Amino acid sequence: MINVFQPELRDEEWAAVRAVMASNWTGRGRITDQFEGAWAAHLGVARERVTSVTCCTEGLFQAVSAVGMESGEEVVLTSISFVGAGNAVLAAGARPVFADVDARTLNPTREHIEACLTPRTRAVLITHYGGVAIADTLGIAALCRERGITLIEDSACAPASRLTDGTACGTAGDFGVWSFDSMKMISTGDGGMIYCQSPGQSSALNLDLYLGLGTTSAISKTGDRWWEFDVVRPGRRAIMNDLSSAIGLEQLNKVGGFAARRRHAAATYNERLAGHSWLTLPPAELLDKRSVPYFYWIQTTPSHRNALASFLRERDVYVTFRYYPLHRLPIYRHDGRALPGTETAANSTLLLPMHQALSERDLDTVTTLIDEFARSI
Ligand SMILES: Cc1ncc(COP(=O)(O)O)c(C=O)c1O
């Protein structure tokens, strides 16, 4: 079986986990602090702007709810977004408004976003699809700033991709979120990070992630009051722990190697599939030096896409399409606006196996099977 996504965890991660277990403290502690510091350094931002979280979905929920919306207010996002993004908008009492995307990159342009803004728009939530940095993220960020709209960047798939000015994906707006779940480039089992542009928001976020237990209390902690505490916000408990963070630190050390192997896999697919005129290969941006491929996608007619998906899956090569367009799901109550780029992309795109553990033999198997399929059409 060749997986479409999978982590790569080796002896270094085992050793790091063993060290945490030997310390007899597996909860949030020194190692989690180190991981947050290392992540801030990786992004090139101040330490206090970065906080770890149980998973990226929780990060999306936290970021969207921090906007503080009233019923009827709107969040613009692309329909080809992770389902947790849509859920975060609904859970915050807001209305999702779906922006279209470019059918090749599956990313929105500034114009796609701008076309959806209304006086009720409070936030824009953009997803860097498949590791490709949205080309005009800085333009979208400027637009949001001009209009007083919160910008949230879902960078779950773009942990090592950069914007046109060289800054990290996820740091152009008010919030950025990353995922370390089991299918991501950097995997800690589960886990995530949140970037917060405003230090005030960052402090509030830290309270919301840990039960709202404040340190601002006037309680003196002396005498018979030593066991009292204060709750300053109705927070949840959504923190990472030292076991996952120890894995994360090791994975982060390897990120350059992971990126190189992913680029190699994408370049190999491009080279081996170039002769198939019935296939459209991914846009050039997937392999420019700013982006690290998280997905590798090909596009063809809907019937060829579906037939090829079945052909490969029946032969133990797992392929998929992410993300099922949210506007097709009744719960999100799409307003009916046409989304031609989204529809084309959703019906024609197929994600081939892409991860840092793909071997030359795996790449050979996948491309040889595609050659075989091509002879049958
Ligand atoms: C774009 C995107 N955002 C968010 C998430 C959610 O991440 P997590 O599994 O860490 O909650 C995913 C997971 O697949 C994703 O692909």
Side-chain angles (χ1 to χ4, degrees):
M1 168 83 176
I2 301 178
N3 278 333
V4 63
F5 317 120
Q6 72 178 46
E8 192 188 55
L9 301 161
R10 296 199 182 277
D11 291 348
E12 297 78 12
E13 287 79 6
W14 263 120
V17 166
R18 270 199 300 273
V20 173
M21 290 174 82
S23 78
N24 213 19
W25 177 256
T26 56
R28 192 201 150 107
R30 189 175 53 83
I31 307 291
T32 306
D33 286 344
Q34 267 178 34
F35 185 37
E36 289 176 342
W39 192 259
H42 164 71
L43 298 178
V45 300
R47 166 71 185 86
E48 61 275 15
R49 296 193 174 170
V50 168
T51 305
S52 58
V53 63
T54 40
C55 65
C56 184
T57 302
E58 178 65 26
L60 285 166
F61 271 67
Q62 292 285 352
V64 174
S65 90
V67 180
M69 285 176 283
E70 288 172 10
S71 163
E73 293 188 315
E74 296 168 359
V75 177
V76 173
L77 73 168
T78 57
S79 174
I80 298 184
S81 286
F82 179 66
V83 62
N87 290 354
V89 174
L90 290 188
R95 197 170 80 80
V97 174
F98 295 114
D100 206 8
V101 291
D102 175 272
R104 292 271 290 119
T105 62
L106 286 82
N107 271 337
T109 60
R110 176 182 161 133
E111 290 68 37
H112 286 132
I113 299 292
E114 198 162 12
C116 297
L117 301 183
T118 73
R120 293 178 300 281
T121 311
R122 295 288 314 283
V124 166
L125 196 173
I126 51 175
T127 300
H128 298 284
Y129 185 81
V132 174
I134 295 170
D136 200 11
T137 305
L138 299 175
I140 295 171
L143 176 67
C144 289
R145 264 196 310 277
E146 275 159 30
R147 308 258 185 121
I149 293 168
T150 299
L151 176 62
I152 303 166
E153 281 175 80
D154 183 344
S155 300
C157 303
S161 300
R162 299 263 153 187
L163 303 175
T164 42
D165 65 352
T167 55
C169 280
T171 62
D174 301 278
F175 295 95
V177 290
W178 293 264
S179 168
F180 308 132
D181 75 25
S182 191
M183 289 179 289
K184 293 300 180 293
M185 186 161 129
I186 293 176
S187 174
T188 63
D190 264 316
M193 287 282 175
I194 309 178
Y195 162 83
C196 232
Q197 201 274 328
S198 133
Q201 285 275 21
S202 190
S203 312
L205 181 77
N206 276 301
L207 290 169
D208 289 339
L209 293 175
Y210 199 71
L211 301 165
L213 293 179
T215 50
T216 52
S217 163
I219 296 168
S220 69
K221 297 270 183 192
T222 56
D224 60 2
R225 304 194 67 184
W226 60 271
W227 58 286
E228 294 183 16
F229 60 80
D230 196 10
V231 174
V232 295
R233 291 170 73 89
R236 297 200 281 255
R237 187 174 179 284
I239 52 173
M240 270 187 86
N241 60 56
D242 278 10
L243 280 175
S244 329
S245 298
I247 300 174
L249 277 168
E250 294 304 324
Q251 293 266 287
L252 188 53
N253 278 337
K254 299 178 182 179
V255 76
F258 290 169
R261 272 143 59 202
R262 285 173 170 271
R263 287 189 172 121
H264 169 74
T268 306
Y269 277 137
N270 272 357
E271 195 188 307
R272 303 247 183 104
L273 298 176
H276 289 289
S277 54
W278 56 285
L279 286 181
T280 304
L281 300 183
E285 291 93 320
L286 188 73
L287 267 168
D288 71 18
K289 56 180 187 308
R290 289 188 295 109
S291 295
V292 177
Y294 176 65
F295 295 153
Y296 179 92
W297 63 98
I298 51 179
Q299 296 180 311
T300 182
T301 61
S303 64
H304 282 156
R305 188 273 297 257
N306 297 338
L308 177 61
S310 304
F311 181 88
L312 292 171
R313 290 168 72 117
E314 279 157 17
R315 286 158 184 79
D316 284 342
V317 173
Y318 195 75
V319 291
T320 189
F321 171 65
R322 296 285 166 90
Y323 303 90
Y324 185 74
L326 301 182
H327 76 278
R328 293 187 188 171
L329 294 166
I331 191 170
Y332 301 113
R333 299 191 178 186
H334 178 50
D335 58 15
R337 150 195 342 233
L339 300 172
T342 302
E343 297 291 359
T344 302
N347 296 333
S348 65
T349 307
L350 189 65
L351 308 188
L352 299 184
M354 169 52 75
H355 49 80
Q356 52 258 13
L358 277 178
S359 65
E360 296 301 322
R361 192 164 158 207
D362 294 334
L363 293 167
D364 202 48
T365 303
V366 177
T367 53
T368 305
L369 282 172
I370 295 175
D371 294 343
E372 193 183 321
F373 173 82
R375 287 194 288 276
S376 73
I377 57 174

